[in-house]
């Protein structure tokens, strides 16, 4: 595995891939890797000739009161894991490398960026879209792999790719869960053992909604109320949102007959967690 820290060298390495007639898969991450990330790498390895991964804790997507400073950074462990999976290129730029002094350009996907997590974290998706657009230009992958857990992010990035005619195909991969159902997340490391148990309420709420939908309930408002009641019954959790929306537009829907995204966010202690299912 080749570890690269500058944009120029990453571009040179990535531009060689199509010249050799090979496909390039890309997994952008913020590090603190868990099985969810590694599953994306494995899918890329299985479907592409060359796999590149980036590790970059992007300051633009953190608000002033969020956890940028304490976000887990485990670069050497992450690097060893990726090398063990046979990753070809690892891009680890500094903040100064990614954002030159005086940079004024941002990428904003209007409307979508203010929904779900965007409503709770103003400016978050502008930071996400900006860094991913830069990474796509640096790497120019054929395929980029993302997890379904970040469903709102997926919707924003799909729209960005479509609107800007970017030559990359987004591949959305299933959520990877712990044996008890908790969605894997780097932020799970913040949870105490007690909070870890309380955090299961997100998955429990989604499963209750799934069961109601499977039993024939199609009214989104009734399904949302079922989910909210489950979260409300867990004193250790504070609901941020429970929404049932169109998975592409993130707009609320009244009836789930044609499919829907059920998404939940809640605070457990000071840690904000998200989860979702497709109905």
């Amino acid at each position: 595995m080749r570890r690269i820290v500058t944009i120029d060298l990453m571009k040179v390495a990535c531009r060689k891939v199509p010249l050799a007639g090979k496909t390039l898969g890309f997994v952008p991450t913020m590090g603190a890797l868990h099985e969810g990330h590694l599953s994306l790498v494995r899918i890329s390895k299985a479907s592409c000739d060359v796999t590149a991964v980036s590790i970059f804790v992007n300051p633009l997507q953190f608000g002033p009161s969020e956890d940028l400073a304490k976000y887990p950074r485990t670069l050497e462990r992450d690097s060893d894991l990726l090398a063990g999976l046979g990753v070809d290129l690892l891009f680890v730029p500094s903040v100064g490398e990614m954002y030159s002094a005086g940079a004024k350009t941002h990428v904003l996907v209007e409307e979508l960026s203010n929904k779900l997590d965007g409503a709770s974290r103003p400016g978050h998706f502008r930071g996400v879209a900006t860094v991913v657009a830069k990474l796509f230009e640096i790497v120019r992958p054929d395929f980029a792999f993302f997890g379904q857990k970040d469903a709102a992010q997926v919707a924003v990035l799909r729209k960005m790719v479509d609107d800007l005619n970017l030559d990359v195909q987004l591949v959305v991969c299933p959520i990877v869960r712990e044996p008890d159902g908790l969605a894997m997340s780097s932020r799970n490391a913040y949870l105490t053992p007690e909070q870890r148990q309380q955090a299961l309420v997100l998955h429990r709420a989604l499963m209750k909604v799934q069961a109601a939908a499977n039993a024939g309930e199609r009214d989104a408002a009734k399904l949302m109320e079922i989910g909210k009641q489950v979260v409300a019954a867990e004193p250790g959790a504070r609901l941020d949102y429970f929404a049932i929306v169109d998975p592409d537009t993130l707009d609320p829907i009244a009836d789930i007959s044609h499919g829907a995204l059920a998404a939940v966010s809640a605070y457990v202690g000071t840690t904000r967690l998200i989860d979702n299912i497709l109905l």
Side-chain angles (χ1 to χ4, degrees):
M1 182 179 74
R2 185 178 173 195
R3 189 156 136 183
I4 301 172
V5 299
T6 70
I7 290 171
D8 287 345
L9 287 178
M10 189 64 178
K11 283 185 173 181
V12 169
C14 292
R15 300 301 183 267
K16 291 178 179 177
V17 177
L19 292 176
K22 296 181 178 180
T23 55
L24 177 56
F26 178 47
V27 182
T29 82
M30 293 206 302
L33 302 181
H34 51 69
E35 184 55 37
H37 299 110
L38 302 183
S39 71
L40 303 181
V41 173
R42 291 190 188 98
I43 294 169
S44 177
K45 288 285 296 178
S47 53
C48 300
D49 299 314
V50 176
T51 291
V53 174
S54 64
I55 294 177
F56 178 65
V57 182
N58 176 33
L60 291 193
Q61 66 192 70
F62 289 80
S65 61
E66 294 184 330
D67 56 354
L68 174 61
K70 71 170 185 174
Y71 194 85
R73 291 163 171 84
T74 55
L75 179 56
E76 295 312 316
R77 169 188 167 274
D78 294 345
S79 183
D80 289 345
L81 286 170
L82 295 172
L85 290 180
V87 166
D88 301 284
L89 301 169
L90 174 58
F91 184 43
V92 191
S94 65
V95 173
E97 181 71 13
M98 284 296 287
Y99 300 117
S100 58
K104 300 295 184 185
T105 303
H106 295 87
V107 178
L108 175 63
V109 180
E110 297 278 6
E111 298 180 11
L112 272 175
S113 293
N114 297 322
K115 297 172 182 175
L116 295 189
D117 303 297
S120 303
R121 305 176 68 188
H124 170 68
F125 284 129
R126 185 179 84 152
V128 170
T130 299
V131 76
V132 173
K134 287 173 68 71
L135 288 168
F136 281 174
E137 170 55 24
I138 294 164
V139 177
R140 292 190 187 172
D142 297 290
F143 302 93
F145 298 86
F146 293 89
Q148 172 64 29
K149 186 174 77 72
D150 299 305
Q153 172 178 280
V154 165
V156 169
L157 295 179
R158 273 180 172 154
K159 185 63 173 166
M160 179 188 79
V161 166
D162 185 54
D163 286 353
L164 298 181
N165 306 111
L166 301 180
D167 289 326
V168 58
Q169 182 175 327
L170 300 192
V171 182
V172 183
C173 305
I175 296 173
V176 177
R177 299 182 179 278
E178 302 284 357
D180 57 9
L182 183 67
M184 289 193 176
S185 168
S186 300
R187 288 186 168 89
N188 291 348
Y190 300 155
L191 301 172
T192 66
E194 181 182 12
Q195 291 168 344
R196 170 69 178 68
Q197 288 303 304
Q198 294 166 344
L200 294 174
V201 73
L202 279 78
H203 186 242
R204 205 158 57 239
L206 291 170
M207 290 299 94
K208 195 75 176 287
V209 168
Q210 179 78 77
N214 290 347
E217 182 60 69
R218 291 292 175 265
D219 187 307
K222 291 179 181 177
L223 292 170
M224 280 192 290
E225 188 57 34
I226 290 170
K228 289 177 180 178
Q229 287 178 4
V230 174
V231 178
E234 172 52 73
R238 176 168 58 88
L239 185 67
D240 179 11
Y241 65 74
F242 197 104
I244 295 181
V245 299
D246 181 288
D248 295 317
T249 66
L250 305 183
D251 288 331
I253 60 174
D255 185 287
I256 69 161
S257 295
H258 299 292
L261 173 75
V264 60
S265 173
Y267 289 89
V268 178
T270 60
T271 303
R272 182 177 176 277
L273 301 173
I274 60 174
D275 201 351
N276 67 82
I277 55 170
L278 290 167
L279 297 173

